[in-house]
Amino acid sequence: MKVTNIADGIYQLSINVENILFEGFWEIPNGVSLNSYIIKGLKTAIIDGVCGWDGVPDTLFGLIEQLDIAPESIEYLIVNHMEPDHSGWIEAFKKINPDCKIVCSKKAKDLLNSFFGITENIIVVGENDTLDLGNGHLLNFVEIPNVHWPDTIAELDTLTGTLFTCDAFGSFGKITSSVYADMLSEEDLALHEKETTRYYSNVLAYFSMQVKKAVAKCQALPVKMIAPGHGLIYRNPKEIMDAYLKYADYQKGPAREEITLIWGSMYGMTENAVNYVIKQLQKEDILVHVHQVPKESWGTVLASAWTSTGIILAMPTYEFKMYPPMASVLEELGKKKVNGRKAFRFGSYGWSGGAQKELDEIMTRLNMGWEFIEPVEFTGNPGAKDLERVGEQVKKLVEEVKNAVRG
Ligand code: FEO
C-alpha cells in the first residue's frame, strides 16, 4: 500500500495484490498492482479504485487518509472502466459520499446501474469532453473502447501532461522498488517486460486492433507521463506506446525470434521425443520456451506463444483425437488470436492416429492461419529413425522462424 506524489497536485494510490487468479482464472505468479489516482485542484477527483480483491474498500480509504483527504470531500469519481478490479469499491464509497459525482462513459453508466443500481449523480463524458478541477487541472477525455471493455475512457491532465489510462499500458507484477519504469534496475526491468507481455497476452490480446487505435489516439496527445491502473508509471510515454504497438502486431505474426514448445504425454513416449527436441533446440541460436500441459497454466503458455513466431506441438493421440489438455490450450490460443505462426507437430499414437484431424478442425474453426511443416507421428516409443525425422523438421522450423522474423 503506497501513496506517491507523481506530479503537481497528483497522487498515485497503489496496492499490490497476490495469491489471486486474475479475472478468476489467470494465474499471476508475481502478483499485480492496482493503481488509483487523486487530483487535487480547487476540487478533488479520484480516478478508479484500488479495492481489495474481496471488494472491501478499506485499503483505498486508508490510502486516502494518508493524504489528509476526507473521502466525503471528494467531488468527482472518474470511472475509466467498470471491471470490478477498479470499480468494486464504488458502492461502499457512495455510502460515505453519496453526493460524489461519477464521471464515466455512456456504456459505463449502464454498467453502474447493472452492477450497483447507481443511476444518479452521473456525468457522461465522451471524446474531447473536459472537466475543470481548478488550479489549472483541466481533464481532457478520450474514448479508448475495448482496452479493455467497451466502456473504457482515458483522460489527460493538461496541466501536467499526465494521461490516466486504466488497463491500457498496464502490466502484471507487484510494484516493489519504484513506481516509475525508468527507475528500475536492468534485472527488474527484464522481469517487468515479461510481466507486461503476460498481462498483454492474457488481458488485452483479443483486442489488439482496438489497442492500436487507442495507442494512435494517445500518440496524438501531448502526453508527458502515462499513469495506468496496473503496473508502473512511464515518464517516457513513447517507450510503452511503442511496446504496446509491437505486442498488438504479434497477433497476426510473425512475432519475435522465439519458439514455444508445448507438450503433453501420457506414459512418456511422446516425452522421449520431446527430450530429444529440447536438447536439439539448445544447440540452436534461438530463444525457446518449454511448457508442459496441463501442468502449466493457460496464461503462462499464452504469454510465451504470444511473443513466439514458432510453435512446436508435441502430444499423443487420445481416443482418436488430440491429447485433451493440448486441445484446450489450442482453443485458448485461438480465441486470443495467436495467429499466423510457423508450426510443427509430432507425437505418438497406439493403434490409430486422429490428433491431426482435430488440430485441423481447431485451426480452421478459429481461423488461426498457422503454417505447419509436415508432422511426424510414430507408434509407441520413438525409434532412432523417428527421432531423426523429428530433428530434421525442428531444424526446418527454426530456419522458417528466422526467415520470417528477419524478412
Ligand atoms: Fe483492470 Fe479490465 O480491468
Side-chain angles (χ1 to χ4, degrees), residues 63-85:
L63 291 172
I64 293 171
E65 272 168 22
Q66 286 183 36
L67 290 171
D68 283 332
I69 293 171
E72 54 272 20
S73 71
I74 294 174
E75 192 134 349
Y76 299 105
L77 163 58
I78 297 167
V79 177
N80 281 333
H81 166 38
M82 275 294 291
E83 190 162 9
D85 52 332

mmCIF file of all heavy atoms in Angstrom, residues 63-85:
data_model
loop_
_atom_site.group_PDB
_atom_site.id
_atom_site.type_symbol
_atom_site.label_atom_id
_atom_site.label_comp_id
_atom_site.label_asym_id
_atom_site.label_seq_id
_atom_site.Cartn_x
_atom_site.Cartn_y
_atom_site.Cartn_z
ATOM 1 N N LEU A 63 -5.451 4.673 2.177
ATOM 2 C CA LEU A 63 -4.522 5.463 1.367
ATOM 3 C C LEU A 63 -4.976 6.915 1.276
ATOM 4 O O LEU A 63 -4.164 7.846 1.342
ATOM 5 C CB LEU A 63 -4.410 4.872 -0.042
ATOM 6 C CG LEU A 63 -3.711 3.513 -0.156
ATOM 7 C CD1 LEU A 63 -3.844 2.958 -1.553
ATOM 8 C CD2 LEU A 63 -2.247 3.624 0.205
ATOM 9 N N ILE A 64 -6.271 7.117 1.122
ATOM 10 C CA ILE A 64 -6.793 8.495 1.021
ATOM 11 C C ILE A 64 -6.497 9.260 2.314
ATOM 12 O O ILE A 64 -6.101 10.425 2.281
ATOM 13 C CB ILE A 64 -8.313 8.474 0.726
ATOM 14 C CG1 ILE A 64 -8.559 7.898 -0.682
ATOM 15 C CG2 ILE A 64 -8.907 9.871 0.814
ATOM 16 C CD1 ILE A 64 -10.016 7.630 -0.999
ATOM 17 N N GLU A 65 -6.659 8.576 3.445
ATOM 18 C CA GLU A 65 -6.392 9.222 4.738
ATOM 19 C C GLU A 65 -4.953 9.708 4.832
ATOM 20 O O GLU A 65 -4.668 10.752 5.428
ATOM 21 C CB GLU A 65 -6.690 8.251 5.878
ATOM 22 C CG GLU A 65 -8.145 8.319 6.322
ATOM 23 C CD GLU A 65 -8.496 7.159 7.244
ATOM 24 O OE1 GLU A 65 -7.573 6.579 7.845
ATOM 25 O OE2 GLU A 65 -9.696 6.832 7.335
ATOM 26 N N GLN A 66 -4.048 8.949 4.227
ATOM 27 C CA GLN A 66 -2.635 9.368 4.268
ATOM 28 C C GLN A 66 -2.436 10.731 3.615
ATOM 29 O O GLN A 66 -1.446 11.408 3.852
ATOM 30 C CB GLN A 66 -1.755 8.338 3.549
ATOM 31 C CG GLN A 66 -1.550 7.070 4.343
ATOM 32 C CD GLN A 66 -0.604 6.123 3.600
ATOM 33 O OE1 GLN A 66 0.335 6.535 2.948
ATOM 34 N NE2 GLN A 66 -0.874 4.839 3.706
ATOM 35 N N LEU A 67 -3.352 11.119 2.754
ATOM 36 C CA LEU A 67 -3.252 12.431 2.076
ATOM 37 C C LEU A 67 -4.048 13.506 2.795
ATOM 38 O O LEU A 67 -4.223 14.609 2.273
ATOM 39 C CB LEU A 67 -3.779 12.301 0.638
ATOM 40 C CG LEU A 67 -2.914 11.492 -0.316
ATOM 41 C CD1 LEU A 67 -3.642 11.253 -1.627
ATOM 42 C CD2 LEU A 67 -1.599 12.213 -0.567
ATOM 43 N N ASP A 68 -4.560 13.187 3.963
ATOM 44 C CA ASP A 68 -5.404 14.119 4.711
ATOM 45 C C ASP A 68 -6.617 14.563 3.906
ATOM 46 O O ASP A 68 -7.007 15.744 3.928
ATOM 47 C CB ASP A 68 -4.592 15.361 5.141
ATOM 48 C CG ASP A 68 -3.708 15.028 6.326
ATOM 49 O OD1 ASP A 68 -4.080 14.123 7.093
ATOM 50 O OD2 ASP A 68 -2.638 15.656 6.441
ATOM 51 N N ILE A 69 -7.170 13.640 3.166
ATOM 52 C CA ILE A 69 -8.384 13.943 2.403
ATOM 53 C C ILE A 69 -9.528 13.145 3.021
ATOM 54 O O ILE A 69 -9.420 11.928 3.185
ATOM 55 C CB ILE A 69 -8.223 13.553 0.911
ATOM 56 C CG1 ILE A 69 -7.173 14.440 0.246
ATOM 57 C CG2 ILE A 69 -9.548 13.665 0.164
ATOM 58 C CD1 ILE A 69 -6.806 13.991 -1.153
ATOM 59 N N ALA A 70 -10.597 13.842 3.347
ATOM 60 C CA ALA A 70 -11.771 13.121 3.838
ATOM 61 C C ALA A 70 -12.489 12.544 2.627
ATOM 62 O O ALA A 70 -12.785 13.293 1.684
ATOM 63 C CB ALA A 70 -12.690 14.077 4.589
ATOM 64 N N PRO A 71 -12.747 11.241 2.612
ATOM 65 C CA PRO A 71 -13.399 10.646 1.430
ATOM 66 C C PRO A 71 -14.681 11.379 1.025
ATOM 67 O O PRO A 71 -14.999 11.500 -0.148
ATOM 68 C CB PRO A 71 -13.685 9.214 1.862
ATOM 69 C CG PRO A 71 -12.656 8.916 2.906
ATOM 70 C CD PRO A 71 -12.417 10.228 3.616
ATOM 71 N N GLU A 72 -15.382 11.919 2.057
ATOM 72 C CA GLU A 72 -16.652 12.589 1.732
ATOM 73 C C GLU A 72 -16.459 13.951 1.048
ATOM 74 O O GLU A 72 -17.412 14.548 0.556
ATOM 75 C CB GLU A 72 -17.550 12.717 2.978
ATOM 76 C CG GLU A 72 -16.925 13.383 4.163
ATOM 77 C CD GLU A 72 -16.176 12.397 5.072
ATOM 78 O OE1 GLU A 72 -15.801 11.291 4.643
ATOM 79 O OE2 GLU A 72 -15.954 12.777 6.223
ATOM 80 N N SER A 73 -15.193 14.432 1.021
ATOM 81 C CA SER A 73 -14.944 15.730 0.365
ATOM 82 C C SER A 73 -14.580 15.576 -1.113
ATOM 83 O O SER A 73 -14.403 16.550 -1.825
ATOM 84 C CB SER A 73 -13.798 16.463 1.091
ATOM 85 O OG SER A 73 -12.567 15.803 0.809
ATOM 86 N N ILE A 74 -14.443 14.348 -1.565
ATOM 87 C CA ILE A 74 -14.081 14.138 -2.980
ATOM 88 C C ILE A 74 -15.296 14.432 -3.862
ATOM 89 O O ILE A 74 -16.378 13.867 -3.669
ATOM 90 C CB ILE A 74 -13.581 12.683 -3.198
ATOM 91 C CG1 ILE A 74 -12.259 12.481 -2.443
ATOM 92 C CG2 ILE A 74 -13.397 12.383 -4.682
ATOM 93 C CD1 ILE A 74 -11.736 11.060 -2.444
ATOM 94 N N GLU A 75 -15.087 15.349 -4.806
ATOM 95 C CA GLU A 75 -16.226 15.816 -5.597
ATOM 96 C C GLU A 75 -16.547 14.904 -6.793
ATOM 97 O O GLU A 75 -17.692 14.714 -7.154
ATOM 98 C CB GLU A 75 -15.926 17.225 -6.113
ATOM 99 C CG GLU A 75 -17.129 17.896 -6.691
ATOM 100 C CD GLU A 75 -17.269 19.329 -6.196
ATOM 101 O OE1 GLU A 75 -16.565 19.729 -5.257
ATOM 102 O OE2 GLU A 75 -18.084 20.039 -6.766
ATOM 103 N N TYR A 76 -15.488 14.398 -7.400
ATOM 104 C CA TYR A 76 -15.695 13.570 -8.605
ATOM 105 C C TYR A 76 -15.016 12.214 -8.455
ATOM 106 O O TYR A 76 -13.874 12.122 -8.002
ATOM 107 C CB TYR A 76 -15.097 14.255 -9.837
ATOM 108 C CG TYR A 76 -15.705 15.593 -10.162
ATOM 109 C CD1 TYR A 76 -15.007 16.779 -9.877
ATOM 110 C CD2 TYR A 76 -16.962 15.682 -10.768
ATOM 111 C CE1 TYR A 76 -15.558 18.008 -10.175
ATOM 112 C CE2 TYR A 76 -17.516 16.915 -11.070
ATOM 113 C CZ TYR A 76 -16.807 18.073 -10.770
ATOM 114 O OH TYR A 76 -17.349 19.294 -11.063
ATOM 115 N N LEU A 77 -15.712 11.207 -8.897
ATOM 116 C CA LEU A 77 -15.116 9.878 -9.036
ATOM 117 C C LEU A 77 -15.112 9.563 -10.533
ATOM 118 O O LEU A 77 -16.175 9.455 -11.157
ATOM 119 C CB LEU A 77 -15.963 8.852 -8.280
ATOM 120 C CG LEU A 77 -15.738 7.380 -8.636
ATOM 121 C CD1 LEU A 77 -14.285 6.964 -8.433
ATOM 122 C CD2 LEU A 77 -16.648 6.490 -7.798
ATOM 123 N N ILE A 78 -13.918 9.492 -11.084
ATOM 124 C CA ILE A 78 -13.809 9.218 -12.523
ATOM 125 C C ILE A 78 -13.630 7.714 -12.719
ATOM 126 O O ILE A 78 -12.674 7.113 -12.206
ATOM 127 C CB ILE A 78 -12.631 10.005 -13.131
ATOM 128 C CG1 ILE A 78 -12.919 11.503 -12.977
ATOM 129 C CG2 ILE A 78 -12.436 9.638 -14.597
ATOM 130 C CD1 ILE A 78 -11.734 12.391 -13.244
ATOM 131 N N VAL A 79 -14.564 7.121 -13.419
ATOM 132 C CA VAL A 79 -14.529 5.677 -13.651
ATOM 133 C C VAL A 79 -14.087 5.447 -15.101
ATOM 134 O O VAL A 79 -14.854 5.622 -16.038
ATOM 135 C CB VAL A 79 -15.922 5.049 -13.398
ATOM 136 C CG1 VAL A 79 -15.897 3.560 -13.721
ATOM 137 C CG2 VAL A 79 -16.355 5.267 -11.962
ATOM 138 N N ASN A 80 -12.852 5.041 -15.257
ATOM 139 C CA ASN A 80 -12.346 4.815 -16.617
ATOM 140 C C ASN A 80 -12.866 3.513 -17.208
ATOM 141 O O ASN A 80 -12.905 3.349 -18.424
ATOM 142 C CB ASN A 80 -10.812 4.782 -16.605
ATOM 143 C CG ASN A 80 -10.215 6.183 -16.562
ATOM 144 O OD1 ASN A 80 -10.841 7.149 -17.017
ATOM 145 N ND2 ASN A 80 -9.020 6.314 -16.013
ATOM 146 N N HIS A 81 -13.220 2.591 -16.317
ATOM 147 C CA HIS A 81 -13.535 1.237 -16.800
ATOM 148 C C HIS A 81 -14.214 0.517 -15.642
ATOM 149 O O HIS A 81 -13.776 0.618 -14.502
ATOM 150 C CB HIS A 81 -12.192 0.591 -17.194
ATOM 151 C CG HIS A 81 -12.180 -0.868 -17.417
ATOM 152 N ND1 HIS A 81 -13.197 -1.560 -18.014
ATOM 153 C CD2 HIS A 81 -11.209 -1.792 -17.161
ATOM 154 C CE1 HIS A 81 -12.861 -2.842 -18.098
ATOM 155 N NE2 HIS A 81 -11.671 -3.010 -17.583
ATOM 156 N N MET A 82 -15.285 -0.181 -15.957
ATOM 157 C CA MET A 82 -16.131 -0.735 -14.898
ATOM 158 C C MET A 82 -15.751 -2.139 -14.439
ATOM 159 O O MET A 82 -16.462 -2.723 -13.620
ATOM 160 C CB MET A 82 -17.593 -0.738 -15.369
ATOM 161 C CG MET A 82 -18.299 0.577 -15.122
ATOM 162 S SD MET A 82 -18.496 0.955 -13.369
ATOM 163 C CE MET A 82 -19.682 -0.293 -12.902
ATOM 164 N N GLU A 83 -14.694 -2.735 -14.964
ATOM 165 C CA GLU A 83 -14.354 -4.064 -14.457
ATOM 166 C C GLU A 83 -14.106 -3.947 -12.951
ATOM 167 O O GLU A 83 -13.463 -2.995 -12.482
ATOM 168 C CB GLU A 83 -13.120 -4.647 -15.174
ATOM 169 C CG GLU A 83 -12.941 -6.114 -14.814
ATOM 170 C CD GLU A 83 -12.046 -6.904 -15.780
ATOM 171 O OE1 GLU A 83 -11.409 -6.296 -16.642
ATOM 172 O OE2 GLU A 83 -11.998 -8.138 -15.646
ATOM 173 N N PRO A 84 -14.621 -4.906 -12.169
ATOM 174 C CA PRO A 84 -14.621 -4.731 -10.715
ATOM 175 C C PRO A 84 -13.247 -4.623 -10.050
ATOM 176 O O PRO A 84 -13.163 -4.209 -8.893
ATOM 177 C CB PRO A 84 -15.384 -5.959 -10.215
ATOM 178 C CG PRO A 84 -16.319 -6.269 -11.334
ATOM 179 C CD PRO A 84 -15.518 -5.999 -12.586
ATOM 180 N N ASP A 85 -12.155 -4.973 -10.743
ATOM 181 C CA ASP A 85 -10.852 -4.736 -10.108
ATOM 182 C C ASP A 85 -10.637 -3.240 -9.880
ATOM 183 O O ASP A 85 -9.858 -2.840 -9.014
ATOM 184 C CB ASP A 85 -9.693 -5.356 -10.907
ATOM 185 C CG ASP A 85 -9.659 -4.980 -12.372
ATOM 186 O OD1 ASP A 85 -10.720 -4.691 -12.944
ATOM 187 O OD2 ASP A 85 -8.558 -4.972 -12.953
#
